[in-house]
Amino acid sequence: MRLWKSWIVTRKDLSVFRKNKYVLYSLIAMPIILGVVLPLIFIFALNSEIASGTLTHVQVLAAVNQIVGLATMYFVLIPAILPSIIASYSFVGEKIEKSLEPLLATPTTDGELLLGKSLASFIPCMVVTYVGAAISAIIIDTWSITSPQIGTLVIPNSYWLLVIGVIAPLACIMSVEANIIVSSKVNDIRAAQQLGGLIVLPLVFIVIFASTSAQLSMVLAIAVSAALAVADIALFYLSKATFQREEILTKWK
């Protein structure tokens, strides 16, 4: 596989995404809401409880751990949800831009083309995920280290590192690959986004279940990591096996 061929496809798609206001607004809004707004809301609510004197020290620590768990969960949802907006646009968008035939006629293999499309969605999704996670960690740690009840950094911990460093990119890869398969099979952008959004639901349920069990969170995180890795490999081979250039050209004319 010639990676430079894939990178040409990636650069072309990234330039298109930069001009798409819907994509840009989605990339900016989610990290701000989940990385800034929600942590501040949680901290404000907890400060109110602390000020009222109704919480013991143990309860405060439990509440902080819950905030960290929720913040961690959100940064799995970002890379899982965003590809339903970006990756679902990959081939359908080419039809809208009137560039489908030149793209499929390029001297690239199916694997190179699919890799280029995948990277074009994976890179911006993970960049905004890590930016949002960094902002969220700074907000939470700044509060926790200055709080008399805590007085220490709470992020990063081992669970946070595993989720952000392993599960988030694996979830992003799964969502990207699945949405690209959908985008190559339908010829309407709204249908592609709706079908792509359904892919996120099983992952959402798993992450929410894991976040509600402090004792099982690490075990479940490792199990989810392994399951996502297997799913990513399976989807890669499925995308190559089901990708048919001639069918796309004839069906979408």
Side-chain angles (χ1 to χ4, degrees):
M1 182 179 292
R2 299 162 296 181
L3 295 180
W4 65 273
K5 290 279 190 181
S6 298
W7 184 244
I8 291 174
V9 177
T10 299
R11 289 176 58 188
K12 182 261 182 189
D13 275 15
L14 289 175
S15 67
V16 172
F17 293 154
R18 283 197 296 268
K19 300 174 184 177
N20 189 312
K21 292 183 179 180
Y22 179 62
V23 171
L24 283 178
Y25 292 158
S26 300
L27 289 172
I28 294 171
M30 289 194 71
I32 291 176
I33 294 172
L34 299 183
V36 179
V37 177
L38 288 183
L40 290 176
I41 292 174
F42 293 146
I43 289 171
F44 178 79
L46 182 55
N47 280 340
S48 298
E49 291 288 330
I50 292 173
S52 68
T54 58
L55 297 180
T56 65
H57 180 68
V58 174
Q59 289 174 324
V60 172
L61 291 177
V64 172
N65 288 331
Q66 186 176 18
I67 290 174
V68 173
L70 288 171
T72 305
M73 177 190 71
Y74 293 145
F75 291 103
V76 176
L77 299 183
I78 289 178
I81 293 172
L82 281 179
S84 66
I85 300 171
I86 301 175
S88 60
Y89 188 83
S90 56
F91 286 104
V92 180
E94 297 288 352
K95 180 185 178 183
I96 297 172
E97 298 291 333
K98 307 294 184 182
S99 57
L100 180 61
E101 290 193 35
L103 172 70
L104 297 179
T106 56
T108 57
T109 65
D110 291 348
E112 291 165 352
L113 180 57
L114 291 170
L115 177 60
K117 288 287 186 181
S118 299
L119 287 174
S121 300
F122 177 81
I123 292 172
C125 289
M126 289 311 302
V127 167
V128 299
T129 296
Y130 285 136
V131 168
I135 295 172
S136 176
I138 291 170
I139 291 173
I140 294 173
D141 278 342
T142 300
W143 169 79
S144 65
I145 202 170
T146 57
S147 172
Q149 290 80 12
I150 308 299
T152 185
L153 299 176
V154 295
I155 299 176
N157 55 32
S158 56
Y159 177 67
W160 188 89
L161 289 172
L162 177 61
V163 171
I164 300 299
V166 179
I167 293 181
L170 287 175
C172 187
I173 292 171
M174 184 194 75
S175 185
V176 166
E177 291 178 339
N179 276 282
I180 285 179
I181 292 174
V182 170
S183 184
S184 67
K185 297 300 179 184
V186 301
N187 57 8
D188 179 75
I189 185 64
R190 287 172 295 183
Q193 291 177 344
Q194 289 168 0
L195 289 172
L198 293 176
I199 298 168
V200 181
L201 293 180
L203 183 59
V204 171
F205 293 139
I206 292 172
V207 173
I208 291 175
F209 176 73
S211 68
T212 59
S213 177
Q215 293 181 344
L216 294 178
S217 58
M218 278 298 294
V219 174
L220 287 174
I222 293 172
V224 168
S225 300
L228 286 175
V230 172
D232 290 346
I233 295 171
L235 282 173
F236 174 75
Y237 285 105
L238 178 63
S239 64
K240 288 185 66 177
T242 59
F243 184 71
Q244 301 292 333
R245 298 191 187 206
E246 295 79 7
E247 180 183 344
I248 293 174
L249 284 172
T250 56
K251 184 176 69 174
W252 289 10
K253 283 184 176 180

